[in-house]
Amino acid sequence: MTVAYVIDKVLTSSILIFFFYSCFATLILCLAYLIEQEVQKIMAEKHEQLELQGRLRGAAIDPVVDEIYES
């Protein structure tokens, strides 16, 4: 084996490993972002639902907003 052959194999392997790990990391980050967006959407819907339930029960969630609705 010549030095050039060994260097070629090492560099080719390193580049392929880097490429696949980069693709894998990008996929993981994209999935994490999509999950984060869905969680934020669900939390916003849940907060809105709790706020509406509080208004139906007559509980004062935000006095300023209640005053605006009453006037």
Side-chain angles (χ1 to χ4, degrees):
M1 287 190 184
T2 63
V3 176
Y5 177 78
V6 172
I7 291 174
D8 180 50
K9 289 298 178 187
V10 169
L11 288 178
T12 303
S13 299
S14 298
I15 290 171
L16 286 174
I17 290 170
F18 176 75
F19 174 75
F20 285 121
Y21 279 141
S22 297
C23 291
F24 184 68
T26 304
L27 180 64
I28 295 296
L29 288 174
C30 289
L31 288 174
Y33 176 76
L34 292 174
I35 290 170
E36 171 75 20
Q37 293 300 314
E38 287 298 317
V39 167
Q40 291 294 331
K41 188 170 88 171
I42 291 169
M43 294 297 287
E45 289 173 359
K46 192 151 199 105
H47 178 72
E48 183 179 332
Q49 183 182 22
L50 288 175
E51 186 175 323
L52 289 174
Q53 286 176 354
R55 292 203 185 283
L56 292 175
R57 282 189 249 147
I61 294 175
D62 189 2
V64 175
V65 175
D66 288 339
E67 185 178 321
I68 292 172
Y69 279 126
E70 290 174 1
S71 62

